[in-house]
Amino acid sequence: MGYKTLCFGFFCILFAYCIYLPVPEDVEEPWKVRIISAIIKMTSFMATWLGEYIGLLKYEDVIVTLSTVHFTKPVSDENITVIDTKFSNIPARLYLPKRKSERQRPAVIFIHGGAFVLGSYKMSAYDDLNRWTANKLDAVVVGIDYRLAPKYPFPAALDDCVYAIKFFLQKNILAKYRVDPSRICIMGDSSGGTLTATVTQLLQNDPNFKNKIKAQALMYPGLQILDTLLPSHQEYQHGPVLTREMIIKLACLYVTEDKVLPQAALKNEHMPTESRHLFKFVNWSDFLPEKYKKNYVYTEPVLGKLNASYPVLVDSRLSPLLVNDTQLQSLPLTYIVTCEHDLLRDDSLIYISRLRNVGVKVTHEHIEKGIHGALSFTRAPVFLNLGFKIRDKYINWLEENL
């Protein structure tokens, strides 16, 4: 009994500590954000404790196990038929409107977030989003479940997305689901946005698929791993929701399970000497609007300090910001959501500047009171009205542009 009481007391103290960590004054629904942040921080703490100190479970296994609680089955309703299937042997979930239509429908391909380590189209919030999208737009929606790190490191997730989307884009498959081949959008949130940006670039560079994607929609994506000390990384290193340590720890698992990489990345000392020429693509002092630079001073990361070699760190398929302007110039209509209180904010702001500089039409929706991952928090026990607002803005944009 004494041991249980001690554990319960420790849990209460930890929760109280997490719940009273400061959140930005102007964040929307601050108490809900406090609770969400507290739950995530406690989960991260527990994962670290069980994994690194006790050795019972790996850090990522704890996170993944808890994330599967809200998985859904492919349940159809009065408006939408939901089917789990496979595209090129990649799991996919289809949302097909039941109403009769004499014309072909648009299609939205959804790539989920989760730092390449967790997540699924089966998550209840994503299932709701895809179901809502299909119903509101009378569109075919396809969710893709790619393989996850660390069991399947880079480029497994990307390859799965590319294979599944190329399968879907075949003429006979589009005809089967009565999809208009001129009205297809790829959408992703967080790391799903990273994959969306890369997949769209790769398809545009493939002569067989060039111009087959009408639009891409990126929700608060991470777009580079070269510099881990952008102003937003520093300003929001302790959250809300995401912390810098947590996102670096998880994202590095997409590259390797070696502990030295996240340790070096936290110090911004992880890039090799031969990567120096790439920093012109992510130099925030050149691309960030003045209001986001604030009082931060640009300092180039320390290069060549990490003894281990990870060639993937200089691969533009991992960091889509690394492609040159010629490749960016060919990209389709783009919709990007950024949230003010998000440590990944500046990745998108750099991307937006570069896209506009080369003439790509970009619609940028900046949520001044927003936080990272809002689309994932649209279900009980804790849901954010912000998630519904972002969803509705995104749907409105699709209605006007797809």
Side-chain angles (χ1 to χ4, degrees):
M1 181 64 71
Y3 177 75
K4 290 181 179 179
T5 303
L6 182 63
C7 288
F8 179 74
F10 175 75
F11 177 86
C12 291
I13 292 171
L14 178 61
F15 185 78
Y17 169 75
C18 291
I19 202 73
Y20 282 104
L21 285 174
V23 299
E25 291 182 2
D26 63 338
V27 74
E28 190 168 315
E29 300 179 289
W31 271 104
K32 287 184 181 180
V33 172
R34 281 183 188 277
I35 293 170
I36 291 169
S37 295
I39 291 171
I40 292 174
K41 285 183 171 69
M42 288 181 64
T43 301
S44 181
F45 176 85
M46 183 173 68
T48 301
W49 186 63
L50 289 173
E52 296 181 9
Y53 298 122
I54 296 182
L56 290 178
L57 289 169
K58 290 183 178 180
Y59 177 88
E60 62 273 14
D61 289 341
V62 178
I63 306 289
V64 170
T65 299
L66 292 175
S67 73
T68 61
V69 172
H70 296 290
F71 276 15
T72 61
K73 299 289 185 182
V75 179
S76 301
D77 58 34
E78 66 273 17
N79 299 312
I80 304 295
T81 299
V82 183
I83 303 169
D84 278 356
T85 184
K86 289 191 175 182
F87 285 170
S88 192
N89 211 34
I90 311 301
R93 178 169 288 183
L94 280 165
Y95 298 81
L96 307 171
K98 289 183 177 179
R99 75 188 73 150
K100 292 184 179 180
S101 176
E102 299 200 358
R103 62 174 188 166
Q104 293 177 309
R105 292 182 165 97
V108 177
I109 301 166
F110 172 75
I111 305 177
H112 70 80
F116 309 105
V117 174
L118 61 141
S120 168
Y121 59 58
K122 298 174 185 174
M123 291 175 65
S124 55
Y126 291 148
D127 183 66
D128 287 348
L129 172 65
N130 290 333
R131 195 180 296 267
W132 182 266
T133 303
N135 193 34
K136 290 289 287 184
L137 296 177
D138 192 30
V140 172
V141 177
V142 180
I144 298 171
D145 256 9
Y146 50 84
R147 288 170 295 169
L148 299 172
K151 184 177 180 180
Y152 301 103
F154 175 89
L158 175 62
D159 286 347
D160 287 358
C161 291
V162 171
Y163 293 150
I165 292 172
K166 285 184 175 181
F167 180 92
F168 179 69
L169 291 177
Q170 295 177 97
K171 288 183 179 179
N172 62 315
I173 301 299
L174 295 179
K176 177 181 178 179
Y177 298 113
R178 302 197 72 249
V179 170
D180 184 341
S182 68
R183 301 173 67 202
I184 299 172
C185 173
I186 306 178
M187 178 273 200
D189 73 312
S190 194
S191 58
T194 314
L195 291 167
T196 295
T198 304
V199 169
T200 305
Q201 290 175 1
L202 293 175
L203 291 176
Q204 281 298 97
N205 291 334
D206 186 329
N208 294 320
F209 294 91
K210 186 176 178 63
N211 298 326
K212 289 198 174 185
I213 302 301
K214 182 177 182 180
Q216 62 172 342
L218 317 178
M219 308 294 178
Y220 37 77
L223 296 167
Q224 59 87 33
I225 199 171
L226 272 73
D227 190 343
T228 64
L229 282 174
L230 304 186
S232 60
H233 297 165
Q234 299 178 61
E235 186 174 2
Y236 299 113
Q237 63 178 310
H238 300 300
V241 181
L242 279 185
T243 67
R244 182 170 173 268
E245 181 178 5
M246 183 181 187
I247 195 61
I248 286 177
K249 188 179 293 187
L250 288 174
C252 284
L253 289 171
Y254 188 39
V255 177
T256 179
E257 291 190 73
D258 294 347
K259 302 295 184 184
V260 294
L261 180 59
Q263 291 169 0
L266 282 167
K267 299 175 184 177
N268 213 19
E269 298 175 350
H270 58 294
M271 295 302 297
T273 304
E274 58 269 23
S275 67
R276 188 178 303 277
H277 69 288
L278 297 173
F279 282 87
K280 64 185 177 183
F281 297 127
V282 299
N283 187 328
W284 61 262
S285 65
D286 292 334
F287 297 111
L288 276 189
E290 288 299 323
K291 67 175 289 188
Y292 298 107
K293 293 179 181 178
K294 300 185 178 179
N295 295 319
Y296 295 100
V297 177
Y298 178 76
T299 304
E300 187 175 276
V302 177
L303 306 181
K305 194 166 184 180
L306 186 62
N307 291 327
S309 176
Y310 305 102
V312 64
L313 294 178
V314 298
D315 194 323
S316 63
R317 296 175 301 161
L318 179 68
S319 298
L321 264 173
L322 299 189
V323 300
N324 59 41
D325 287 351
T326 303
Q327 289 177 276
L328 289 182
Q329 197 170 23
S330 67
L331 290 175
L333 184 66
T334 299
Y335 178 78
I336 300 180
V337 169
T338 56
C339 292
E340 177 62 29
H341 308 295
D342 177 9
L343 65 84
L344 297 181
R345 179 197 67 201
D346 291 349
D347 284 34
S348 290
L349 295 178
I350 293 172
Y351 195 52
I352 291 163
S353 293
R354 291 193 59 204
L355 288 177
R356 285 177 170 165
N357 286 347
V358 296
V360 175
K361 186 178 179 182
V362 180
T363 298
H364 176 207
E365 200 81 60
H366 184 67
I367 314 299
E368 286 290 347
K369 298 182 178 182
I371 61 167
H372 188 86
L375 282 173
S376 301
F377 305 117
T378 55
R379 273 286 190 103
V382 181
F383 68 88
L384 297 176
N385 290 321
L386 173 66
F388 297 112
K389 290 180 182 178
I390 292 176
R391 179 199 68 183
D392 291 344
K393 288 177 183 290
Y394 157 66
I395 294 296
N396 289 340
W397 181 82
L398 285 177
E399 287 179 326
E400 294 175 5
N401 292 279
L402 187 58

